[in-house]
Amino acid sequence: MSAVTTRAVRPATDADIPVLARLMSEGNPRHPITTQTWAHQLQELRGHPLGPHVEQWLAEENGPGGRRALGMALILQPPGMYHPDRYYAELFVAPTETRRGVGAALAEAVDLHLRGRGAREVLAGAYEDQPWGVEFLVRRGFSEVIRYFDNVLTLADFGSAAWEGQAPLPAGIRVLSFADLAAEVGMDPAITAYHTAFSEVREDVPRPAPPTPLPLDTFRTRLLDNPLFFPEGILLALTEAGEVVALSELERDDGDPARLNTGLTGTRRAWRRRGLALALKLAGLKVARETGVREVWTGNASTNRPMLALNERLGFRPQPAFIQLRWGGV
């Protein structure tokens, strides 16, 4: 009698985190994720004061050679844009298993679960150089909301000397790293000053829905527990009174020690158009060069023309866009 091969989709458990991280990294090699980081992010979501729902699935094949992972899917309520009826979904199929119905089987499990929870809005996405992913979502009733561009600067191509003196700071403003500020005033006051600026700046970042306020305690925990936390790479512009008026964040990459990723960069409303974003970007690139990294990555929404233009001036080069799509709405 020949051995029977079966396929099934099942809920994933924490024991599956290494497989889930591998499938996500294979599906999105631009932004790989390690087992450690995915475990940390899940723990962070589960401990969030809003209590966001998170669920994951694995598609597997059982045959003569044993059990083999074919793909994974996940949904979560994004705490940064929280609404009890809004969800974010991701689905990845192993590169060797495409066009075998794995994605459809995972989508069916996700759809059944979301309908059971009464979801009214679902966000998902795919890169523009993966048109099959976009078409997969469009066939299921999704439509485009916004595009995000990864922009990459190779430091060997960056002419830092040409920028000397090009971004003078306004009178009374100095630039410190978060590490230096914490050493100067103490960790808690540094976090509080950083959080105040961060909270205002993120309100104006383009996104599909308004941001949910991030409490100070949650901000502190997320900052200090982050395995990619790089305090020397968080650059802050401060007044003489110690108020943070602009910021630019760098964090280490999950799988490439020669790469840094940019988080939030921005200026508080009363201090805009004074060159602070450029000054902080240049300070960050100096840190990157001194750290010995090869590349700096940043991401911007297609509607954020000022930041896209600034990155282009510095020599960042756009990569294929990530197209975010939405089903329903709240």
Side-chain angles (χ1 to χ4, degrees), residues 72-102:
M72 65 83 64
L74 73 93
I75 62 162
L76 59 88
Q77 292 170 314
M81 300 183 297
Y82 184 78
H83 186 287
D85 298 327
R86 175 183 293 123
Y87 294 82
Y88 179 77
E90 286 191 331
L91 190 157
F92 298 104
V93 176
T96 57
E97 309 300 331
T98 58
R99 305 187 188 281
R100 294 183 58 204
V102 177

mmCIF file of all heavy atoms in Angstrom, residues 72-102:
data_model
loop_
_atom_site.group_PDB
_atom_site.id
_atom_site.type_symbol
_atom_site.label_atom_id
_atom_site.label_comp_id
_atom_site.label_asym_id
_atom_site.label_seq_id
_atom_site.Cartn_x
_atom_site.Cartn_y
_atom_site.Cartn_z
ATOM 1 N N MET A 72 2.020 30.081 6.154
ATOM 2 C CA MET A 72 1.464 30.543 7.418
ATOM 3 C C MET A 72 0.596 31.774 7.182
ATOM 4 O O MET A 72 0.705 32.450 6.153
ATOM 5 C CB MET A 72 2.572 30.872 8.429
ATOM 6 C CG MET A 72 3.487 32.014 8.072
ATOM 7 S SD MET A 72 2.844 33.684 8.472
ATOM 8 C CE MET A 72 2.763 33.583 10.263
ATOM 9 N N ALA A 73 -0.268 32.040 8.128
ATOM 10 C CA ALA A 73 -1.091 33.241 8.096
ATOM 11 C C ALA A 73 -1.247 33.748 9.517
ATOM 12 O O ALA A 73 -1.135 32.985 10.479
ATOM 13 C CB ALA A 73 -2.459 32.952 7.482
ATOM 14 N N LEU A 74 -1.488 35.051 9.627
ATOM 15 C CA LEU A 74 -1.744 35.622 10.944
ATOM 16 C C LEU A 74 -2.708 36.783 10.816
ATOM 17 O O LEU A 74 -2.802 37.427 9.761
ATOM 18 C CB LEU A 74 -0.445 36.075 11.615
ATOM 19 C CG LEU A 74 0.253 37.334 11.080
ATOM 20 C CD1 LEU A 74 -0.186 38.587 11.849
ATOM 21 C CD2 LEU A 74 1.755 37.198 11.146
ATOM 22 N N ILE A 75 -3.441 37.031 11.882
ATOM 23 C CA ILE A 75 -4.251 38.236 11.995
ATOM 24 C C ILE A 75 -3.972 38.845 13.362
ATOM 25 O O ILE A 75 -3.619 38.141 14.314
ATOM 26 C CB ILE A 75 -5.757 37.963 11.842
ATOM 27 C CG1 ILE A 75 -6.251 37.037 12.946
ATOM 28 C CG2 ILE A 75 -6.099 37.429 10.469
ATOM 29 C CD1 ILE A 75 -7.752 37.059 13.123
ATOM 30 N N LEU A 76 -4.122 40.144 13.434
ATOM 31 C CA LEU A 76 -4.008 40.832 14.723
ATOM 32 C C LEU A 76 -4.770 42.139 14.634
ATOM 33 O O LEU A 76 -4.996 42.685 13.551
ATOM 34 C CB LEU A 76 -2.551 41.047 15.106
ATOM 35 C CG LEU A 76 -1.661 41.855 14.157
ATOM 36 C CD1 LEU A 76 -1.732 43.364 14.466
ATOM 37 C CD2 LEU A 76 -0.216 41.402 14.261
ATOM 38 N N GLN A 77 -5.178 42.615 15.777
ATOM 39 C CA GLN A 77 -5.750 43.952 15.868
ATOM 40 C C GLN A 77 -4.584 44.919 16.094
ATOM 41 O O GLN A 77 -3.941 44.868 17.149
ATOM 42 C CB GLN A 77 -6.745 44.028 17.030
ATOM 43 C CG GLN A 77 -7.996 43.196 16.806
ATOM 44 C CD GLN A 77 -8.851 43.096 18.054
ATOM 45 O OE1 GLN A 77 -8.338 42.845 19.135
ATOM 46 N NE2 GLN A 77 -10.160 43.275 17.909
ATOM 47 N N PRO A 78 -4.260 45.764 15.122
ATOM 48 C CA PRO A 78 -3.074 46.619 15.266
ATOM 49 C C PRO A 78 -3.243 47.627 16.394
ATOM 50 O O PRO A 78 -4.114 48.508 16.319
ATOM 51 C CB PRO A 78 -2.968 47.306 13.899
ATOM 52 C CG PRO A 78 -4.339 47.224 13.308
ATOM 53 C CD PRO A 78 -4.962 45.978 13.842
ATOM 54 N N PRO A 79 -2.435 47.519 17.450
ATOM 55 C CA PRO A 79 -2.615 48.446 18.578
ATOM 56 C C PRO A 79 -2.297 49.893 18.230
ATOM 57 O O PRO A 79 -2.797 50.809 18.881
ATOM 58 C CB PRO A 79 -1.661 47.896 19.640
ATOM 59 C CG PRO A 79 -0.693 47.036 18.907
ATOM 60 C CD PRO A 79 -1.404 46.505 17.717
ATOM 61 N N GLY A 80 -1.474 50.117 17.197
ATOM 62 C CA GLY A 80 -1.161 51.489 16.804
ATOM 63 C C GLY A 80 -2.288 52.189 16.087
ATOM 64 O O GLY A 80 -2.290 53.422 15.964
ATOM 65 N N MET A 81 -3.279 51.438 15.590
ATOM 66 C CA MET A 81 -4.485 51.986 14.941
ATOM 67 C C MET A 81 -5.678 51.170 15.451
ATOM 68 O O MET A 81 -6.420 50.587 14.682
ATOM 69 C CB MET A 81 -4.398 51.890 13.419
ATOM 70 C CG MET A 81 -3.255 52.627 12.776
ATOM 71 S SD MET A 81 -3.286 52.539 10.967
ATOM 72 C CE MET A 81 -3.095 50.776 10.684
ATOM 73 N N TYR A 82 -5.841 51.139 16.740
ATOM 74 C CA TYR A 82 -6.776 50.182 17.331
ATOM 75 C C TYR A 82 -8.246 50.543 17.118
ATOM 76 O O TYR A 82 -8.660 51.693 17.298
ATOM 77 C CB TYR A 82 -6.524 50.039 18.828
ATOM 78 C CG TYR A 82 -7.402 48.982 19.462
ATOM 79 C CD1 TYR A 82 -7.101 47.638 19.316
ATOM 80 C CD2 TYR A 82 -8.549 49.341 20.164
ATOM 81 C CE1 TYR A 82 -7.917 46.665 19.872
ATOM 82 C CE2 TYR A 82 -9.370 48.378 20.717
ATOM 83 C CZ TYR A 82 -9.051 47.039 20.565
ATOM 84 O OH TYR A 82 -9.857 46.085 21.105
ATOM 85 N N HIS A 83 -8.992 49.543 16.726
ATOM 86 C CA HIS A 83 -10.452 49.556 16.724
ATOM 87 C C HIS A 83 -10.858 48.101 16.905
ATOM 88 O O HIS A 83 -10.265 47.216 16.276
ATOM 89 C CB HIS A 83 -11.009 50.116 15.412
ATOM 90 C CG HIS A 83 -12.498 50.290 15.426
ATOM 91 N ND1 HIS A 83 -13.378 49.224 15.360
ATOM 92 C CD2 HIS A 83 -13.274 51.413 15.510
ATOM 93 C CE1 HIS A 83 -14.616 49.678 15.402
ATOM 94 N NE2 HIS A 83 -14.580 50.999 15.491
ATOM 95 N N PRO A 84 -11.838 47.798 17.750
ATOM 96 C CA PRO A 84 -12.170 46.392 18.011
ATOM 97 C C PRO A 84 -12.614 45.615 16.778
ATOM 98 O O PRO A 84 -12.571 44.376 16.786
ATOM 99 C CB PRO A 84 -13.291 46.471 19.052
ATOM 100 C CG PRO A 84 -13.809 47.878 18.976
ATOM 101 C CD PRO A 84 -12.641 48.717 18.570
ATOM 102 N N ASP A 85 -13.006 46.320 15.717
ATOM 103 C CA ASP A 85 -13.458 45.629 14.503
ATOM 104 C C ASP A 85 -12.454 45.747 13.359
ATOM 105 O O ASP A 85 -12.760 45.388 12.224
ATOM 106 C CB ASP A 85 -14.816 46.181 14.048
ATOM 107 C CG ASP A 85 -15.902 45.950 15.082
ATOM 108 O OD1 ASP A 85 -15.840 44.917 15.776
ATOM 109 O OD2 ASP A 85 -16.794 46.808 15.210
ATOM 110 N N ARG A 86 -11.247 46.268 13.639
ATOM 111 C CA ARG A 86 -10.214 46.399 12.608
ATOM 112 C C ARG A 86 -9.128 45.353 12.839
ATOM 113 O O ARG A 86 -8.648 45.177 13.958
ATOM 114 C CB ARG A 86 -9.591 47.795 12.633
ATOM 115 C CG ARG A 86 -8.407 47.951 11.649
ATOM 116 C CD ARG A 86 -7.754 49.320 11.750
ATOM 117 N NE ARG A 86 -8.662 50.354 11.294
ATOM 118 C CZ ARG A 86 -9.041 51.396 12.023
ATOM 119 N NH1 ARG A 86 -8.569 51.541 13.259
ATOM 120 N NH2 ARG A 86 -9.881 52.290 11.543
ATOM 121 N N TYR A 87 -8.689 44.697 11.753
ATOM 122 C CA TYR A 87 -7.664 43.660 11.838
ATOM 123 C C TYR A 87 -6.629 43.879 10.743
ATOM 124 O O TYR A 87 -6.909 44.479 9.704
ATOM 125 C CB TYR A 87 -8.282 42.261 11.682
ATOM 126 C CG TYR A 87 -9.193 41.873 12.815
ATOM 127 C CD1 TYR A 87 -10.511 42.315 12.839
ATOM 128 C CD2 TYR A 87 -8.741 41.094 13.877
ATOM 129 C CE1 TYR A 87 -11.354 41.986 13.889
ATOM 130 C CE2 TYR A 87 -9.579 40.755 14.924
ATOM 131 C CZ TYR A 87 -10.880 41.204 14.930
ATOM 132 O OH TYR A 87 -11.706 40.881 15.975
ATOM 133 N N TYR A 88 -5.460 43.353 11.009
ATOM 134 C CA TYR A 88 -4.388 43.317 10.016
ATOM 135 C C TYR A 88 -4.082 41.857 9.727
ATOM 136 O O TYR A 88 -4.011 41.039 10.657
ATOM 137 C CB TYR A 88 -3.137 44.031 10.534
ATOM 138 C CG TYR A 88 -1.989 43.996 9.571
ATOM 139 C CD1 TYR A 88 -1.956 44.835 8.460
ATOM 140 C CD2 TYR A 88 -0.930 43.114 9.749
ATOM 141 C CE1 TYR A 88 -0.906 44.801 7.556
ATOM 142 C CE2 TYR A 88 0.129 43.077 8.854
ATOM 143 C CZ TYR A 88 0.133 43.922 7.768
ATOM 144 O OH TYR A 88 1.166 43.868 6.881
ATOM 145 N N ALA A 89 -3.920 41.504 8.463
ATOM 146 C CA ALA A 89 -3.696 40.110 8.079
ATOM 147 C C ALA A 89 -2.445 39.993 7.224
ATOM 148 O O ALA A 89 -2.147 40.874 6.406
ATOM 149 C CB ALA A 89 -4.896 39.565 7.306
ATOM 150 N N GLU A 90 -1.707 38.904 7.429
ATOM 151 C CA GLU A 90 -0.570 38.557 6.575
ATOM 152 C C GLU A 90 -0.662 37.081 6.228
ATOM 153 O O GLU A 90 -1.139 36.267 7.037
ATOM 154 C CB GLU A 90 0.765 38.838 7.281
ATOM 155 C CG GLU A 90 1.111 40.308 7.364
ATOM 156 C CD GLU A 90 2.544 40.537 7.816
ATOM 157 O OE1 GLU A 90 3.076 39.680 8.556
ATOM 158 O OE2 GLU A 90 3.126 41.557 7.420
ATOM 159 N N LEU A 91 -0.187 36.745 5.042
ATOM 160 C CA LEU A 91 -0.221 35.360 4.566
ATOM 161 C C LEU A 91 1.028 35.124 3.735
ATOM 162 O O LEU A 91 1.325 35.906 2.836
ATOM 163 C CB LEU A 91 -1.491 35.136 3.736
ATOM 164 C CG LEU A 91 -1.869 33.717 3.331
ATOM 165 C CD1 LEU A 91 -3.376 33.643 3.044
ATOM 166 C CD2 LEU A 91 -1.112 33.271 2.090
ATOM 167 N N PHE A 92 1.762 34.070 4.069
ATOM 168 C CA PHE A 92 2.994 33.742 3.353
ATOM 169 C C PHE A 92 2.986 32.270 2.967
ATOM 170 O O PHE A 92 2.689 31.405 3.806
ATOM 171 C CB PHE A 92 4.228 34.021 4.223
ATOM 172 C CG PHE A 92 4.394 35.458 4.604
ATOM 173 C CD1 PHE A 92 4.074 35.891 5.884
ATOM 174 C CD2 PHE A 92 4.874 36.381 3.683
ATOM 175 C CE1 PHE A 92 4.234 37.214 6.245
ATOM 176 C CE2 PHE A 92 5.026 37.715 4.036
ATOM 177 C CZ PHE A 92 4.704 38.137 5.321
ATOM 178 N N VAL A 93 3.324 32.006 1.728
ATOM 179 C CA VAL A 93 3.460 30.637 1.227
ATOM 180 C C VAL A 93 4.931 30.402 0.921
ATOM 181 O O VAL A 93 5.606 31.263 0.345
ATOM 182 C CB VAL A 93 2.603 30.428 -0.032
ATOM 183 C CG1 VAL A 93 2.816 29.027 -0.603
ATOM 184 C CG2 VAL A 93 1.126 30.648 0.290
ATOM 185 N N ALA A 94 5.447 29.254 1.331
ATOM 186 C CA ALA A 94 6.848 28.921 1.055
ATOM 187 C C ALA A 94 7.122 29.035 -0.439
ATOM 188 O O ALA A 94 6.280 28.629 -1.264
ATOM 189 C CB ALA A 94 7.158 27.517 1.552
ATOM 190 N N PRO A 95 8.271 29.593 -0.832
ATOM 191 C CA PRO A 95 8.549 29.806 -2.269
ATOM 192 C C PRO A 95 8.426 28.547 -3.112
ATOM 193 O O PRO A 95 8.066 28.628 -4.293
ATOM 194 C CB PRO A 95 9.991 30.330 -2.255
ATOM 195 C CG PRO A 95 10.161 30.956 -0.915
ATOM 196 C CD PRO A 95 9.339 30.120 0.023
ATOM 197 N N THR A 96 8.678 27.377 -2.528
ATOM 198 C CA THR A 96 8.603 26.126 -3.290
ATOM 199 C C THR A 96 7.178 25.587 -3.383
ATOM 200 O O THR A 96 6.953 24.585 -4.068
ATOM 201 C CB THR A 96 9.486 25.056 -2.628
ATOM 202 O OG1 THR A 96 9.071 24.878 -1.259
ATOM 203 C CG2 THR A 96 10.943 25.463 -2.674
ATOM 204 N N GLU A 97 6.224 26.250 -2.712
ATOM 205 C CA GLU A 97 4.862 25.693 -2.629
ATOM 206 C C GLU A 97 3.812 26.590 -3.258
ATOM 207 O O GLU A 97 2.616 26.388 -3.042
ATOM 208 C CB GLU A 97 4.495 25.446 -1.152
ATOM 209 C CG GLU A 97 5.513 24.654 -0.370
ATOM 210 C CD GLU A 97 5.751 23.267 -0.942
ATOM 211 O OE1 GLU A 97 4.822 22.710 -1.557
ATOM 212 O OE2 GLU A 97 6.877 22.740 -0.785
ATOM 213 N N THR A 98 4.220 27.582 -4.036
ATOM 214 C CA THR A 98 3.247 28.488 -4.632
ATOM 215 C C THR A 98 2.425 27.788 -5.708
ATOM 216 O O THR A 98 2.823 26.776 -6.278
ATOM 217 C CB THR A 98 3.961 29.701 -5.247
ATOM 218 O OG1 THR A 98 4.911 29.238 -6.224
ATOM 219 C CG2 THR A 98 4.705 30.490 -4.184
ATOM 220 N N ARG A 99 1.239 28.342 -5.930
ATOM 221 C CA ARG A 99 0.309 27.872 -6.971
ATOM 222 C C ARG A 99 -0.130 26.422 -6.751
ATOM 223 O O ARG A 99 -0.349 25.672 -7.694
ATOM 224 C CB ARG A 99 0.918 28.046 -8.365
ATOM 225 C CG ARG A 99 1.365 29.475 -8.632
ATOM 226 C CD ARG A 99 1.802 29.688 -10.062
ATOM 227 N NE ARG A 99 2.387 31.001 -10.238
ATOM 228 C CZ ARG A 99 1.714 32.137 -10.366
ATOM 229 N NH1 ARG A 99 0.394 32.109 -10.297
ATOM 230 N NH2 ARG A 99 2.332 33.293 -10.528
ATOM 231 N N ARG A 100 -0.241 26.054 -5.476
ATOM 232 C CA ARG A 100 -0.731 24.714 -5.147
ATOM 233 C C ARG A 100 -1.976 24.782 -4.267
ATOM 234 O O ARG A 100 -2.375 23.789 -3.673
ATOM 235 C CB ARG A 100 0.360 23.914 -4.423
ATOM 236 C CG ARG A 100 1.594 23.588 -5.264
ATOM 237 C CD ARG A 100 2.568 22.742 -4.457
ATOM 238 N NE ARG A 100 1.950 21.495 -3.985
ATOM 239 C CZ ARG A 100 2.368 20.810 -2.925
ATOM 240 N NH1 ARG A 100 3.378 21.268 -2.205
ATOM 241 N NH2 ARG A 100 1.765 19.704 -2.573
ATOM 242 N N GLY A 101 -2.563 25.974 -4.153
ATOM 243 C CA GLY A 101 -3.763 26.121 -3.346
ATOM 244 C C GLY A 101 -3.509 26.368 -1.867
ATOM 245 O O GLY A 101 -4.458 26.425 -1.080
ATOM 246 N N VAL A 102 -2.226 26.512 -1.477
ATOM 247 C CA VAL A 102 -1.906 26.721 -0.066
ATOM 248 C C VAL A 102 -2.446 28.065 0.411
ATOM 249 O O VAL A 102 -3.057 28.169 1.481
ATOM 250 C CB VAL A 102 -0.385 26.640 0.164
ATOM 251 C CG1 VAL A 102 -0.042 26.938 1.624
ATOM 252 C CG2 VAL A 102 0.143 25.272 -0.232
#
